[in-house]
């Protein structure tokens, strides 16, 4: 053993030992409880970043800990390899997406291995491999057979920059989630997956997942957005047609004074045809379509509309209602038509005031009456109905039920449940994705590719250009095919699947990546699934997690899997944040662009100006506040980086980067190394203390601290994933060992206790810093890796503190004796004394005037 800790030598050594020993490769074993630990797999960008390091280090600690607890742990890794980022990056690099992707995978795999993560690399998969997406295409065909995949025209979110369609979930504040450019509305024929068929179950099971963070469940519930209300038919004036609306406030229907249509509603243009209003309506529709939906629904957005020249009738009052096209009504919510009740909806109130439309109060606050002329805003709460015919006097909740019954009995409408959730649009007009296995025949229409002709292979000889779009329509040999039904000429679908399709079932394929008879081996999948612990960012709360839940339920109904939900427990780790540095002249500065003149004072290397220190934000290349994990590993070693990521913050909170924190972690590893180095000869041949004989004094104190640390670390990992406090406990144990050594305790009776303490420190911290732990474990004479050891169990008797005798007096007379911990505070000693039953008898209910505590000796209660 060298006197100085050298991670550059130690870490590759143990990574090689683990790989050659295949100690993280697993198979099904019914004799052991299984544990499936999974972190969300990465997009192969080329280099891992600190967010990856933190995420995967958290998972690795849990995987190693569970293995030491006797679980059969599966801990796989793969690559979310299809998608627009790879395509755009390849275009920029003048490369092919396949070349770019597989090169990056090789680089990132090597980086992950350098971190010492305990992956079973025999299960590695990349979603861009034909061996993976061939089964995805089969799943699509099975969904098509069940009516869960369909094609129809719809207004879609179109990103002109990426030249593709986006799902609703991929539009954030009106911008593309990938490129942050403006998204517009465009009508196109697209493929959808019918996730709405599972809306009720997806919502119901949100109450059956106690291992998920509540904020994630709230986000999913809100996205599904179940609303109970009514469908009401408003008859058109001078026509047999009607406009159907969905509302959750049918108790206000008597107050509906006009109708608002979305610009995408099919009646918006039809109603104005041949009327003087036609030109204005058309202009308004075109102008509104260019506005983002998120803006149109904002409370600060100016409510505008245009009269269509047509009228309908309120089915409850028969009053005439003008029909407007309004910019705040969206087609995907309800039916795209809104009965406008200006006195009880703020948007309608603002709109009515702008266009001089009538207001009618139909719900009063309890115990009060509203005056239309005095209203400055809509009254939107429940209340008591008024001016509502036979329903006047009813409370809102009672009236909603009664009006539903009336609508159904008269044929004017019916009770209904609607969802915010819309079917999942999966068509993408991009090249680098899984081809959708469908064929278009002029004679037979849409025809699925026969299963025995799968996979439909993505051609790799395509040429991409910077202008965007997909080259697939121009590849004659790909597009032109034969119709499976009539053998005539036909065309292949040239859209590819949304990459979220790939990530919606990859965790199941990990259980049987070599299976060739179908997407999944049911027996192996049922052994490993569901995932016991899933770890990833909160940004996936709706998209990936909701789609994965949907896929799991669909595959269950197909008989391919046996579970209802994919992930039993979910941990959403916080971000890695660092302060930004900005030069007034040169903008954002990366760490290598600055010199630290003195603590927290940085100068721009280009001009010498003192940089402005900004707030701590998520690490971002654009703001220069990134730290390269590779540089840190080269300088300090992987174990130091791992230790800092775990020690700086609990996993669910943001980690604030600190260079000094990294240096502090390095110092602790050197201190631990020095401890083993200095004691290695004294401990050679010594057997750890086995509780075969009692201990006294300092020996007992160190033994107690050892077992207290075992308990603390075990509970912190098992119950809370609070690795920071677990590490702190081991640090305290190391301090106690150093203190014990300072007293020159090297007699034959002390060495077994010392050895046990040192060994337990290494075992307990080994999941966090596995390389250095294995090296020191070997120095102590062990042959196996620490991860192959059994996790220790604390001894309840050993952790008990020695009790200290305290005499208790009442008015100066000895009345009893109590025993307390030597570390008990004066307040705790006083509380114990006053709660003693014998002392209560002597006090006799009299008021206590004063309590005198003499630490370590006595308590005197004065009454």
């Amino acid at each position: 053993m060298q006197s100085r800790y050298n991670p550059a030598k130690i870490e590759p050594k143990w990574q090689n030992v683990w790989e050659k020993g295949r100690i993280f490769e697993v198979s099904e074993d019914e004799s052991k409880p299984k544990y499936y630990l999974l972190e969300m797999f990465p997009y192969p960008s080329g280099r891992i970043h600190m967010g990856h390091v933190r995420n995967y280090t958290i998972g690795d600690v849990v995987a190693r800990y569970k293995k030491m607890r006797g679980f059969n742990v599966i801990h796989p890794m793969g690559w979310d390899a299809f998608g627009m980022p790879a395509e755009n990056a390849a275009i920029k690099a003048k490369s092919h997406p396949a070349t770019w992707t597989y090169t990056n995978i090789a680089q990132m795999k090597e980086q992950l291995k350098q971190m010492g993560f305990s992956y079973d690399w025999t299960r590695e998969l990349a979603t861009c491999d034909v061996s993976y997406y061939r089964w995805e295409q089969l799943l699509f065909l099975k969904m098509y057979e069940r009516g869960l995949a369909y094609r129809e025209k719809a207004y879609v979110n179109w990103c002109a920059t990426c030249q593709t369609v986006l799902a609703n979930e991929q539009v954030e504040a009106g911008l593309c989630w990938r490129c942050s450019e403006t998204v517009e509305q465009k009508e196109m024929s697209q493929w959808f997956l019918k996730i709405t068929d599972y809306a009720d179950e997806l919502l119901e099971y949100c109450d059956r997942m106690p291992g998920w963070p509540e904020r994630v469940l709230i986000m999913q519930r809100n996205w599904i957005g179940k609303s109970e209300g009514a469908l009401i038919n408003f008859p058109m004036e001078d026509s047999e047609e009607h406009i159907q609306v969905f509302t959750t406030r049918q108790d206000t229907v008597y107050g509906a004074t006009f109708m608002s249509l979305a610009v995408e509603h099919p009646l918006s243009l039809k109603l104005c045809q041949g009327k003087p209003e036609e030109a204005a309506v058309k202009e308004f529709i075109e102008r509104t379509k260019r506005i983002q939906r998120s803006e149109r629904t904002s409370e600060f957005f100016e409510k505008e509309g245009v009269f269509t020249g047509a009228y309908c009738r309120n089915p409850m009052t028969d009053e005439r209602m003008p029909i407007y096209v309004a910019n705040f009504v969206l087609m995907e919510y309800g039916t795209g038509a809104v009965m406008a009740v200006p006195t009880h909806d703020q948007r309608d109130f603002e709109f009515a005031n702008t266009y001089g439309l009538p207001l009618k109060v139909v719900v009063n606050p309890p115990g009060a009456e509203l005056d239309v002329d005095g209203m400055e805003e809509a009254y939107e709460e429940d209340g008591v109905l008024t001016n509502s015919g036979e329903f006047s006097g009813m409370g809102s909740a009672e009236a909603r039920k009664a009006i539903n019954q009336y609508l159904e009995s008269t044929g004017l409408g019916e009770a209904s449940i609607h969802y915010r959730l819309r079917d999942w649009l999966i068509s993408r007009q991009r090249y680098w994705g899984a081809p959708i296995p469908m064929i278009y025949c002029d004679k037979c229409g849409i025809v699925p590719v026969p299963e025995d002709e799968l996979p439909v292979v993505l051609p790799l000889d395509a040429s991409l250009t910077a202008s965007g779009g997909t080259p697939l329509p121009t590849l004659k040999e790909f597009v032109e095919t034969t119709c499976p039904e009539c053998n005539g000429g036909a065309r292949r679908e040239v859209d590819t699947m949304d990459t979220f399709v790939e990530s919606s079932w990859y965790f199941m394929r990990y259980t049987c990546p070599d299976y060739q008879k179908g997407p999944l081996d049911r027996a192996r999948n049922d052994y490993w699934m569901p995932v016991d612990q899933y770890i990833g960012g909160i940004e996936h709360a709706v998209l990936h997690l909701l789609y994965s839940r949907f896929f799991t339920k669909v595959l269950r109904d197909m008989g391919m899997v046996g579970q209802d939900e994919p992930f039993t427990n979910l941990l959403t780790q916080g971000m890695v944040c660092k302060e930004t540095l900005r030069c007034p002249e040169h903008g954002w500065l990366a760490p290598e662009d600055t010199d630290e003149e003195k603590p927290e004072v940085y100068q721009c290397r280009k001009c010498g100006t003192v940089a402005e220190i900004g707030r701590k934000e998520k690490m971002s290349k654009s703001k220069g506040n990134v730290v390269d994990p590779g540089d840190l590993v080269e300088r300090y070693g992987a174990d130091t980086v791992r230790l800092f990521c775990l020690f700086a913050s609990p996993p669910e909170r943001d980690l604030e980067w600190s260079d000094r924190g990294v240096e502090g972690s390095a110092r602790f590893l050197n201190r631990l190394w020095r401890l083993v180095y200095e004691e290695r000869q004294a401990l050679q041949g010594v057997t750890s203390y086995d509780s075969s004989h009692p201990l006294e004094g300092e020996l007992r104190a160190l033994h107690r601290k050892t077992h207290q640390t075992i308990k603390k670390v075990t509970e912190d990992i098992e119950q809370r994933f609070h690795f920071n406090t677990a590490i702190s406990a081991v640090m305290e144990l190391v301090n106690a060992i150093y203190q014990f050594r300072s007293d020159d305790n090297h007699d034959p009776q002390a060495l077994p206790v010392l050895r046990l303490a040192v060994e337990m420190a290494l075992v307990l911290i080994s999941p966090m810093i596995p390389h250095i732990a294995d090296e020191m474990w070997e120095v102590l004479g062990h042959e196996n890796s620490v991860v192959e050891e059994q996790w220790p169990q604390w001894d309840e008797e050993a952790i008990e503190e020695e009790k200290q005798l305290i005499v208790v007096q009442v008015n100066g007379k000895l009345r009893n004796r109590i025993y307390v911990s030597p570390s008990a505070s004066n307040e705790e000693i006083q509380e114990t004394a006053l709660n003693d039953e014998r002392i209560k008898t002597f006090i006799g209910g009299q008021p206590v005037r004063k309590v005198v505590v003499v630490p370590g000796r006595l308590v005197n209660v004065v009454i």
Side-chain angles (χ1 to χ4, degrees):
M1 183 183 189
Q2 295 180 337
S3 60
R4 294 184 62 83
Y5 167 48
N6 183 3
K9 181 178 179 181
I10 292 169
E11 291 179 351
K13 166 189 170 180
W14 287 103
Q15 290 158 14
N16 187 52
V17 169
W18 301 331
E19 186 170 351
K20 282 188 174 181
R22 304 171 66 178
I23 63 175
F24 300 121
E25 295 179 19
V26 292
S27 59
E28 298 72 35
D29 184 349
E30 296 293 344
S31 68
K32 291 182 177 181
K34 69 91 180 178
Y35 193 85
Y36 191 168
L37 188 286
L38 184 64
E39 306 98 10
M40 296 179 184
F41 64 169
Y43 149 67
S45 60
R47 295 192 65 82
I48 62 172
H49 53 66
M50 287 309 304
H52 290 133
V53 171
R54 188 186 191 202
N55 185 354
Y56 302 153
T57 300
I58 291 168
D60 194 57
V61 172
V62 179
R64 288 173 176 272
Y65 166 78
K66 289 292 184 179
K67 180 177 176 64
M68 296 173 74
R69 291 300 300 264
F71 286 86
N72 192 24
V73 178
I74 182 175
H75 187 202
M77 176 50 70
W79 312 97
D80 191 8
F82 267 145
M84 288 183 288
E87 188 170 328
N88 292 339
I91 292 172
K92 186 176 181 180
K94 297 182 180 179
S95 179
H96 190 280
T99 303
W100 189 87
T101 297
Y102 283 107
T103 299
N104 287 350
I105 286 175
Q107 292 174 352
M108 291 181 70
K109 183 175 180 179
E110 184 60 29
Q111 289 178 301
L112 293 179
K113 286 186 173 183
Q114 288 174 353
M115 292 303 304
F117 298 137
S118 58
Y119 295 127
D120 180 354
W121 286 106
T122 65
R123 298 175 182 273
E124 180 185 11
L125 58 82
T127 59
C128 62
D129 285 345
V130 178
S131 61
Y132 182 83
Y133 70 74
R134 65 170 296 185
W135 301 119
E136 184 173 304
Q137 292 174 338
L138 179 62
L139 294 178
F140 178 89
L141 294 180
K142 295 295 185 185
M143 290 186 181
Y144 182 75
E145 289 174 7
R146 289 172 166 255
L148 292 173
Y150 66 93
R151 188 174 188 258
E152 74 173 19
K153 269 193 169 185
Y155 279 96
V156 296
N157 305 303
W158 176 256
C159 176
T161 303
C162 295
Q163 286 288 294
T164 193
V165 168
L166 304 173
N168 288 341
E169 296 89 336
Q170 293 168 319
V171 181
E172 300 171 349
L175 304 177
C176 172
W177 77 302
R178 281 295 191 190
C179 70
S180 298
E181 294 297 328
T182 301
V183 175
E184 60 185 87
Q185 295 296 294
K186 189 174 183 179
E187 189 175 34
M188 299 176 68
S189 292
Q190 302 288 295
W191 283 99
F192 294 84
L193 296 182
K194 209 167 186 183
I195 191 173
T196 53
D197 275 11
Y198 287 81
D200 269 329
E201 188 180 351
L202 289 167
L203 185 62
E204 176 190 346
Y205 271 75
C206 284
D207 296 326
R208 302 188 192 181
M209 298 189 292
W212 282 43
E214 184 58 29
R215 65 171 179 162
V216 174
L217 294 174
I218 289 172
M219 293 168 75
Q220 293 221 347
R221 291 187 189 105
N222 290 342
W223 191 262
I224 296 168
K226 183 176 181 179
S227 299
E228 297 183 5
L231 287 170
I232 305 177
N233 299 322
F234 286 72
M236 296 289 299
E237 190 174 73
D238 303 325
S239 169
E240 295 298 317
E241 294 185 72
H242 63 262
I243 299 176
Q244 188 175 70
V245 306
F246 171 77
T247 179
T248 59
R249 291 300 305 272
Q250 58 269 39
D251 55 316
T252 67
V253 63
Y254 280 83
T257 59
F258 63 97
M259 179 70 65
S260 299
L261 303 179
V263 295
E264 301 88 356
H265 197 289
L267 289 177
S268 293
L269 283 174
K270 181 179 178 182
L271 293 178
C272 67
Q273 287 178 353
K275 293 186 173 71
E277 294 83 1
E278 182 174 4
V281 171
K282 285 184 176 180
E283 187 278 331
F284 179 80
I285 288 175
E286 291 304 313
R287 175 161 51 89
T288 303
K289 282 182 179 179
R290 293 192 292 268
I291 302 171
Q292 298 311 306
R293 283 179 294 184
S294 58
E295 291 184 49
R296 289 165 59 184
T297 55
S298 168
E299 61 178 301
F300 305 107
F301 184 66
E302 185 179 355
K303 313 301 183 288
E304 292 184 326
V306 60
F307 180 46
T308 62
Y311 294 85
C312 62
R313 293 277 179 179
N314 186 315
M316 308 298 277
T317 65
D318 199 39
E319 293 176 358
R320 196 183 198 206
M321 296 171 54
I323 302 172
Y324 280 74
V325 178
N327 62 1
F328 59 88
V329 181
L330 300 182
M331 191 65 205
E332 63 263 34
Y333 294 117
T335 64
V338 173
M339 66 170 204
V341 185
T343 48
H344 304 295
D345 183 278
Q346 187 60 30
R347 296 178 309 169
D348 297 340
F349 182 83
E350 295 171 12
F351 191 93
N353 283 333
T354 300
Y355 294 96
L357 297 167
L359 281 69
K360 179 181 179 182
V361 172
V362 292
V363 177
N364 278 319
E369 290 189 10
L370 295 174
D371 178 9
V372 168
D373 295 332
M375 292 185 72
E376 296 182 357
E377 61 181 6
Y379 175 71
E380 297 184 317
E381 305 300 320
D382 279 3
V384 180
L385 269 65
T386 185
N387 300 320
S388 298
E390 62 188 88
F391 306 103
S392 294
M394 288 185 181
S396 288
E398 179 189 2
R400 284 193 284 270
K401 295 178 181 178
I403 289 173
N404 278 353
Q405 294 173 353
Y406 177 82
L407 293 171
E408 291 177 355
S409 66
T410 59
L412 294 173
E414 60 184 2
S416 182
I417 296 175
H418 276 221
Y419 297 89
R420 181 176 182 266
L421 180 68
R422 290 292 175 263
D423 284 339
W424 177 9
L425 191 160
I426 66 162
S427 294
R428 295 293 178 270
Q429 292 67 44
R430 298 294 289 198
Y431 162 72
W432 192 236
I436 297 175
M438 302 301 287
I439 292 171
Y440 300 101
C441 174
D442 292 339
K443 179 180 178 182
C444 305
I446 300 176
V447 182
V449 173
E451 291 182 14
D452 60 5
E453 293 183 14
L454 295 178
V456 178
V457 179
L458 182 71
L460 297 181
D461 56 353
S463 298
L464 282 74
T465 64
S467 60
T470 171
L472 291 180
T474 67
L475 299 179
K476 184 178 179 180
E477 63 276 16
F478 175 78
V479 176
E480 295 183 2
T481 188
T482 301
C483 174
E485 293 188 0
C486 70
N487 291 321
R491 307 175 311 281
R492 289 195 188 278
E493 171 63 75
V494 293
D495 285 355
T496 54
M497 294 192 214
D498 180 7
T499 55
F500 279 103
V501 177
E502 280 90 68
S503 61
S504 293
W505 71 286
Y506 79 103
F507 44 87
M508 291 185 268
R509 184 65 182 175
Y510 275 145
T511 67
C512 51
D514 57 346
Y515 191 61
Q516 296 302 315
K517 296 181 180 179
L520 299 169
D521 181 338
R522 173 68 187 264
R524 292 159 71 185
N525 181 81
D526 284 355
Y527 172 83
W528 291 113
M529 288 292 291
V531 173
D532 294 282
Q533 183 65 61
Y534 200 32
I535 303 173
I538 190 68
E539 66 271 17
H540 300 291
V542 172
L543 287 169
H544 163 58
L545 292 173
L546 188 64
Y547 293 156
S548 297
R549 296 181 61 212
F550 163 62
F551 249 73
T552 301
K553 295 175 187 300
V554 170
L555 297 188
R556 176 204 61 195
D557 291 347
M558 291 179 181
M560 293 187 185
V561 303
Q563 64 272 5
D564 296 314
E565 290 287 340
F567 314 120
T568 302
N569 296 292
L570 174 69
L571 171 65
T572 53
Q573 89 282 353
M575 298 181 295
V576 180
C577 302
K578 189 178 187 297
E579 74 277 352
T580 57
L581 298 174
R582 187 178 180 87
C583 172
E585 181 178 350
H586 296 102
W588 300 112
L589 299 176
E592 61 269 20
D593 297 327
T594 64
D595 290 313
E596 189 172 10
E597 293 301 302
K598 54 185 178 179
E600 298 189 5
V601 177
Y602 302 88
Q603 284 187 336
C604 174
R605 286 185 175 177
K606 298 176 183 178
C607 64
T609 303
V610 174
E612 301 168 359
I613 300 179
R615 63 177 183 173
K616 292 187 176 181
E617 301 182 44
K618 179 182 178 181
M619 285 190 177
S620 165
K621 287 183 180 179
S622 63
K623 293 189 176 180
N625 63 335
V626 294
V627 175
D628 187 342
D631 293 342
L632 289 173
V633 171
E634 184 177 346
R635 181 177 178 185
Y636 295 104
D639 281 340
T640 294
V641 180
R642 290 170 61 116
L643 187 67
F644 171 74
C645 286
L646 296 166
F647 187 57
S649 172
E652 69 277 4
R653 295 177 59 183
D654 289 348
L655 185 157
E656 294 188 358
W657 187 261
S658 165
D659 293 334
R660 290 172 178 78
V662 177
E663 292 166 0
S665 296
R667 283 195 300 273
F668 172 72
L669 295 191
N670 279 283
R671 190 164 190 253
L672 188 60
W673 178 269
R674 190 167 63 253
L675 171 64
V676 174
Y677 176 77
E678 294 174 354
E679 296 295 338
R680 72 191 188 287
Q681 292 181 339
L683 297 178
Q684 188 174 9
V686 175
T687 302
S688 293
Y689 174 67
D690 59 3
S691 301
S692 58
H693 58 275
L695 300 173
E696 300 294 338
E698 292 180 341
L699 295 180
R700 185 175 179 181
L702 180 60
H703 187 59
R704 181 188 306 116
K705 186 64 175 179
T706 300
H707 281 269
Q708 288 174 337
T709 306
I710 294 171
K711 181 179 182 181
K712 173 65 174 172
V713 173
T714 302
E715 291 179 345
D716 281 348
I717 296 177
E718 186 74 40
Q719 300 175 11
R720 296 176 284 273
F721 288 176
H722 281 189
F723 311 116
N724 57 328
T725 53
I727 292 168
S728 180
V730 177
M731 290 177 172
E732 290 180 12
L733 175 59
V734 171
N735 289 339
I737 294 171
Y738 266 95
Q739 179 62 45
F740 183 82
R741 292 169 65 242
S742 69
D743 297 331
D744 197 25
N745 284 309
H746 283 96
D747 64 80
Q749 190 178 10
L751 288 176
V753 178
L754 176 61
R755 182 178 179 99
L756 178 66
V758 172
E759 286 189 338
M760 289 302 98
L762 297 182
V763 169
L764 295 174
I765 205 164
S766 66
M768 294 82 164
I769 50 172
H771 307 89
I772 189 173
D774 267 3
E775 181 70 14
M776 293 186 290
W777 191 248
E778 183 182 63
V779 168
L780 292 177
H782 298 281
E783 296 181 358
N784 292 334
S785 171
V786 184
V787 77
E788 296 181 281
E789 296 292 321
Q790 184 176 348
W791 189 262
Q793 176 62 44
W794 67 87
D795 184 339
E796 286 290 351
E797 290 185 9
I799 65 175
E800 288 185 3
E801 297 271 3
E802 294 181 4
K803 298 296 185 179
Q804 187 176 54
L805 173 65
I806 301 289
V807 298
V808 184
Q809 300 174 337
V810 177
N811 288 344
K813 295 182 178 181
L814 175 63
R815 296 303 186 189
N816 205 3
R817 296 174 177 85
I818 61 174
Y819 290 88
V820 299
S821 168
S823 60
S825 65
N826 286 0
E827 291 76 14
E828 290 170 332
I829 295 172
Q830 176 179 316
E831 183 181 359
T832 302
L834 293 176
N835 286 330
D836 182 81
E837 293 299 325
R838 184 172 172 80
I839 297 303
K840 286 181 180 179
T841 301
F842 283 102
I843 293 175
Q846 299 180 67
V848 175
R849 293 166 53 199
K850 184 170 65 171
V851 177
V852 179
V853 178
V854 180
R857 291 181 56 195
L858 64 83
V859 175
N860 183 29
V861 181
V862 180
I863 59 176

